[in-house]
């Protein structure tokens, strides 16, 4: 875990209201794993005062990390204006992250809206980019409308299968992404050890956990909370965890 | 004419930054505030704990406490509201699992604690005094986020005095009374705990506040109200330290929105012998280190040999 002054390599709008920020921070990248997050601060203002938490979207081991973010308020609004060459303070990498073992044969990755952000780093690791492992990775992406379906090309490029659902039916299945997951699990299954990974809004995560339980499939959910420190010092971000097989990010 | 080069060399030696609070010697006046630094280990990857004046622990109680429902934290202009609800592992687990880590460092540990009843304050003080590695007690009579304990003792001078005199009788360690700003006249509280035998006072704890989401008309904290901290409260805190400095002889530990060395200096000049840094740790984990360096630089630049010369040095002569 480090606190580093990193340099912005690139900050580009990838879809309306969504940006991808590349940061030069090799120290952080070297230790980072999928599902972990960083606490970010741009500028020195006291308003906003606190750092903002962002999942690690992509890890480039020797150079840095990427963040995929949605502009929703003050902090992300400021981030949208930051330019290549400028500085950003990064604390990371933090949190438990996703974990899986070598034997995992099939990964079902579920993302809702901006929840897709950490799933690319995860899918890159799952598809064993560069190592040539054989593992089936299906990414289920959900969102309000087609604009909220992120990174489809990136997921496909690394060899993952992508299934899409939107609330308004503007892309893929009309309905919830969890319906796609349930439909898939309802089909006759092979014997390969399967695990579900998910990140998205609370209601989606809850539904994913229920489905996982119903189909007796291990599952890891990444959850969000209001945070101040990100390191476990303020006890602001606790999340009540019920049942088994579900693990918070923190 | 260049005045810079004509000045005599600042000092031959490094200026003195050591201060003594109630017999406890600190290598510098910069501590970390309770509840903002976990139990010490959380920030150890980011800073050298040996350099701190002291570490103040998260508020401890006899039994572990779960704390409040979430959201517990919300940002406000230049500040934050928290309603953690004094979640802590309890004194036994603290001594067994947390204290051994901080004990490895050359830094005094001040145990912050609270009780739900008067008797619990006494029992907690005894328990904490028995363990090796706790150097002073900070009595939280001022947390705004729990109904049973804390604040009722913190806003009534008689109740505050009874807590402090019981704690005083229950320990040989220095006793620091942490005062609430949520009172009409903080000097009344300061005098009450001075008379009851406190060795020092620390102030301020958070100011009670609340924030509302106007779209849903719901409170933004699950607890409805919370404690305001950060730069937003600094002017209030500096004013209270100055008032208390004029009212009591006890050493004062100034707290509230300290982000930089200049902020810490405001408190020291107003009357504080030492300071605590809270919310700033979240924003910038190395804030304390930068403040320690900044204080030393200020002393050198201003040819001050000993930081103690600055304490209560407010100049209120009319300026020309
Ligand atoms: C572990 C973690 C990982 C995250 N990863 C990402 C990511 O990869 N990409 C991304 O775009 N976002 C991510 N977020 C959410 C992101 O931190 C918030 O969107 C950001 O802090 C908003 O800052 P802001 O100043 O723009 O909004 P603000 O002005 O602070 O808030 C705007 C509105 O959003 C609400 N809000 C702010 N933060 C949160 C939150 N954490 N949960 C619920 N409501 C909130 C506020 O109450 C307010 O109503 C993550 C959050 C956590 C805790
Ligand atoms: C998240 C959080 C938790 C806190 N917990 C405690 C506590 O357990 N006991 C206590 O005496 N003060 C507690 N405080 C108050 C701080 O120690 C400090 O008095 C206050 O935050 C003002 O300082 P600051 O503006 O530098 O943060 C807490 C403050 C925050 C922000
Ligand atoms: S944000 Fe989780 S403990 Fe501070």
């Amino acid at each position: 875990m480090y606190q580093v002054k990193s340099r912005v390599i690139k900050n580009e709008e990838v879809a309306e209201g969504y940006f991808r920020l590349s940061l030069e921070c090799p120290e952080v990248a070297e230790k980072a794993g999928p599902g972990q997050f960083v606490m970010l601060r741009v500028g020195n203002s006291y308003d906003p005062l606190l750092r903002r938490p962002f999942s690690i979207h992509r890890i480039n081991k020797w150079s840095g990390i990427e963040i995929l973010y949605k502009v929703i308020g003050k902090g992300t609004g400021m981030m949208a204006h930051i330019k290549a060459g400028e500085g950003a303070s990064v604390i990371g990498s933090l949190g438990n992250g996703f974990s899986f073992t070598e034997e995992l044969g099939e990964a079902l990755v579920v993302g809702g809206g901006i929840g897709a952000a950490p799933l690319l780093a995860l899918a890159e690791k799952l598809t064993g980019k560069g190592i040539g492992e054989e593992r089936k990775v299906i990414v289920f992406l959900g969102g309000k409308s087609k604009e909220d379906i992120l990174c489809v090309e990136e997921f496909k490029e690394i060899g993952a299968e992508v299934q899409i659902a939107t609330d308004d039916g503007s892309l893929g299945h009309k309905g919830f992404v969890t319906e796609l997951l349930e439909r898939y699990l309802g089909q006759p299954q092979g014997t390969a050890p399967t695990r579900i990974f998910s990140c998205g809004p609370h209601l989606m995560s809850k539904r994913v956990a229920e489905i996982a339980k119903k189909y007796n499939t291990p599952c890891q959910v990444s959850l969000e909370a209001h945070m101040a420190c990100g390191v476990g010092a303020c006890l602001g971000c606790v999340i009540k965890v019920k049942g088994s097989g579900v693990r918070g990010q923190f | 004419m260049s005045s810079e080069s004509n000045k005599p060399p600042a000092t031959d030696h490094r200026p003195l930054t050591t201060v003594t609070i109630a017999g406890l010697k600190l290598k510098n006046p910069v501590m970390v505030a309770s509840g903002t630094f976990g139990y010490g280990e959380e920030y150890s990857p980011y800073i050298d704990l040996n350099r701190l004046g002291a570490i103040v622990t998260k508020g401890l109680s006899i039994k572990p406490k779960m704390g409040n429902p979430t959201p517990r934290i919300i940002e406000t202009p230049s500040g934050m509201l928290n309603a953690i609800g004094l979640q802590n592992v309890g004194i036994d687990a603290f001594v067994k699992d947390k204290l051994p880590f901080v004990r490895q460092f050359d830094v005094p540990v001040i145990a912050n604690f609270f009780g739900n009843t008067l008797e619990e304050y006494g029992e907690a003080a005894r328990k904490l005094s028995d363990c090796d590695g706790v150097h002073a007690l900070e009595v939280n009579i001022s947390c705004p986020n729990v109904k049973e304990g804390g604040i009722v003792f913190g806003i009534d001078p008689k109740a505050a005095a009874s807590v402090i005199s019981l704690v005083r009788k229950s320990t040989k360690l220095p006793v620091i009374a942490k005062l609430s700003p949520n009172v009409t006249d903080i000097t009344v509280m300061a005098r009450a705990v001075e008379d009851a035998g406190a060795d020092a006072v620390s102030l301020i704890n958070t100011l009670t506040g609340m924030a509302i989401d106007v779209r849903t008309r719901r409170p933004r904290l699950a607890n409805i109200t919370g404690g305001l901290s950060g730069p937003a409260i600094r002017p209030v805190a500096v004013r209270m330290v100055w008032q208390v400095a004029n009212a009591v002889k006890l050493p004062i530990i100034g707290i509230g929105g300290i982000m930089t060395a200049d902020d810490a200096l405001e408190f020291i000049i107003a009357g504080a012998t030492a300071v605590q840094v809270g919310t700033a740790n979240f924003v910038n984990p190395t804030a304390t280190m930068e403040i320690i360096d900044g204080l030393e630089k200020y002393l050198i630049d201003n040819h001050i040999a000993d930081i103690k010369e600055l304490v209560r040095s407010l100049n209120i002569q009319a300026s020309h």
Side-chain angles (χ1 to χ4, degrees):
Chain A
M1 290 164 290
Y2 301 95
Q3 177 180 8
V4 296
K5 286 199 180 75
S6 82
R7 204 173 54 86
V8 173
I9 301 167
K10 207 168 172 187
N11 184 30
E12 55 172 356
E13 190 161 15
V14 291
E16 171 112 42
Y18 293 95
F19 287 72
R20 184 180 281 130
L21 175 67
S22 310
L23 295 166
E24 186 180 270
C25 50
E27 313 90 320
V28 175
E30 200 194 324
K31 302 264 168 68
Q36 285 196 299
F37 65 98
V38 294
M39 295 294 283
L40 196 71
R41 187 173 189 224
V42 302
N44 300 313
S45 131
Y46 288 167
D47 190 17
L49 176 69
L50 299 171
R51 287 171 180 268
R52 298 292 191 254
F54 293 95
S55 302
I56 296 173
H57 172 55
R58 232 182 206 165
I59 306 164
N60 309 313
K61 279 286 176 214
W62 288 277
S63 56
I65 58 166
E66 287 175 24
I67 283 164
L68 182 70
Y69 64 97
K70 182 180 183 177
V71 175
I72 66 159
K74 253 186 220 156
T76 47
M78 276 172 67
M79 280 166 66
H81 290 106
I82 187 166
K83 294 191 181 57
E86 292 179 359
S89 170
V90 179
I91 297 178
S93 54
L94 304 164
N96 295 323
F98 294 113
S99 61
F100 57 89
T101 55
E102 288 295 307
E103 299 83 62
L104 186 68
E106 184 180 59
L108 308 177
V109 180
V110 190
I114 189 66
L119 302 179
L120 187 62
L122 173 69
E124 283 186 340
K125 191 159 177 205
L126 283 167
T127 52
K129 200 177 104 177
I131 307 168
E133 278 171 66
E134 275 305 318
R135 181 181 288 139
K136 189 169 177 188
V137 179
I138 309 179
V139 179
F140 301 88
L141 296 175
K144 280 201 188 72
S145 192
K146 64 172 188 287
E147 294 78 37
D148 304 303
I149 303 299
L150 302 164
C151 306
V152 177
E153 288 316 310
E154 285 87 343
F155 282 116
K156 283 185 177 159
E157 250 167 49
I158 57 171
E161 180 188 327
V162 179
Q163 297 195 21
I164 295 167
T166 49
D167 296 354
D168 64 2
S170 56
L171 196 66
H173 168 76
K174 183 172 191 294
F176 294 131
V177 67
T178 45
E179 292 161 11
L180 296 177
L181 174 69
E182 185 152 23
R183 185 197 291 168
Y184 180 81
L185 284 167
Q187 293 163 1
Q189 295 291 305
T191 54
T194 300
R195 178 172 276 219
I196 302 169
F197 303 87
S198 120
C199 183
H202 261 86
L203 274 177
M204 186 201 89
S205 300
K206 227 177 122 187
R207 185 77 195 110
V208 170
E210 285 162 11
I211 293 169
K213 206 167 170 204
K214 178 170 165 196
Y215 292 93
N216 208 7
T217 310
C219 162
Q220 282 186 349
V221 214
S222 171
L223 299 170
E224 273 193 17
H226 284 260
M227 289 193 161
C229 71
V231 306
C234 74
L235 304 178
C237 69
V238 295
I239 288 172
K240 261 202 191 131
V241 181
K242 269 191 264 172
S244 57
V246 179
R247 204 171 81 183
Q249 200 174 32
F250 207 65
Chain B
M1 192 180 94
S2 150
S3 60
E4 281 302 317
S5 54
N6 291 342
K7 273 185 186 165
T11 33
D12 294 338
H13 318 282
R14 291 172 69 180
L16 270 179
T17 56
T18 52
V19 295
T20 307
I21 297 264
L24 184 66
K25 197 167 173 197
L26 314 178
K27 46 176 106 67
N28 63 63
V30 183
M31 321 179 187
V32 288
S34 177
T36 65
F37 207 73
Y39 300 100
E41 187 165 3
E42 290 80 357
Y43 279 114
S44 60
Y46 307 98
I47 63 169
D48 179 3
L49 299 186
N50 293 307
R51 291 194 62 206
L52 290 171
I55 292 176
V56 185
T57 67
K58 173 72 194 157
L60 297 162
S61 52
I62 306 233
K63 293 208 183 75
K65 205 161 161 11
M66 288 288 286
N68 288 329
T70 55
R72 293 173 166 193
I73 275 177
I74 208 80
E75 195 181 74
T76 56
S78 300
M80 61 178 276
L81 285 168
N82 89 80
I84 307 297
L86 293 177
Q87 177 177 339
N88 79 96
V89 296
I91 291 176
D92 291 337
F94 165 74
V95 172
K96 190 166 146 285
D97 306 329
K98 309 290 183 185
L99 195 54
F101 180 83
V102 276
R103 217 163 36 198
Q104 303 169 63
F105 296 87
D106 174 28
V107 58
V109 174
I110 300 177
N112 178 290
F113 73 99
F114 65 96
N116 293 320
T117 59
L118 184 61
E119 295 69 38
E120 274 185 35
Y121 272 100
E123 194 186 336
R126 271 193 303 280
K127 272 191 129 166
L128 285 164
S129 311
D130 282 346
C131 55
D132 188 21
V134 171
H135 302 89
L137 302 181
E138 183 177 60
V139 195
N140 181 6
I141 49 169
S142 53
C143 181
N145 297 329
V146 279
K147 283 184 204 82
E148 325 89 273
I151 197 88
V152 289
F153 297 108
I155 56 178
D156 173 6
K158 280 208 190 77
S162 57
V163 170
I164 296 302
S165 54
L166 179 62
V167 170
R168 177 68 289 162
K169 284 191 204 102
S170 314
T171 184
K172 290 202 172 65
L173 295 175
V175 173
I176 303 163
K178 183 160 179 182
L179 302 183
S180 169
N182 303 307
V183 292
T184 316
D185 184 352
I186 194 145
T187 62
V188 174
M189 301 302 299
R191 280 196 208 97
V193 298
E194 179 172 52
D195 292 344
D199 300 301
V201 285
S202 55
L203 63 148
I204 59 176
N205 206 318
T206 53
L207 281 155
T208 313
M210 86 188 249
I212 299 169
D213 183 333
V214 296
R215 277 154 306 173
T216 59
R217 300 194 208 169
R218 293 183 57 78
R220 294 181 65 208
L221 286 172
N223 191 54
I224 305 179
T225 61
L228 184 64
S229 66
I233 70 169
R234 194 171 60 238
V236 177
V238 171
R239 181 264 292 178
M240 288 189 164
V241 164
W242 180 69
Q243 286 180 319
V244 169
N246 289 324
V248 300
K249 294 207 175 61
L250 294 179
I252 298 167
I253 303 168
I255 323 167
I258 297 175
M259 309 292 287
T260 65
D262 278 4
D263 301 344
L265 284 161
E266 278 197 61
F267 281 89
I268 294 170
I269 293 165
T273 302
V275 295
Q276 291 179 8
V277 176
T279 301
N281 294 308
F282 305 153
V283 182
N284 174 18
T286 56
T288 46
M289 304 292 111
E290 291 162 23
I291 292 168
I292 292 165
D293 293 339
L295 289 179
E296 188 167 327
K297 184 171 184 301
Y298 179 91
L299 296 176
I300 293 170
D301 290 350
N302 290 281
H303 310 275
I304 298 167
D306 185 343
I307 195 158
K308 290 186 275 298
E309 290 171 32
L310 279 176
V311 178
R312 305 189 191 212
S313 66
L314 182 70
N315 177 3
I316 48 173
Q317 307 288 302
S319 54
H320 303 287

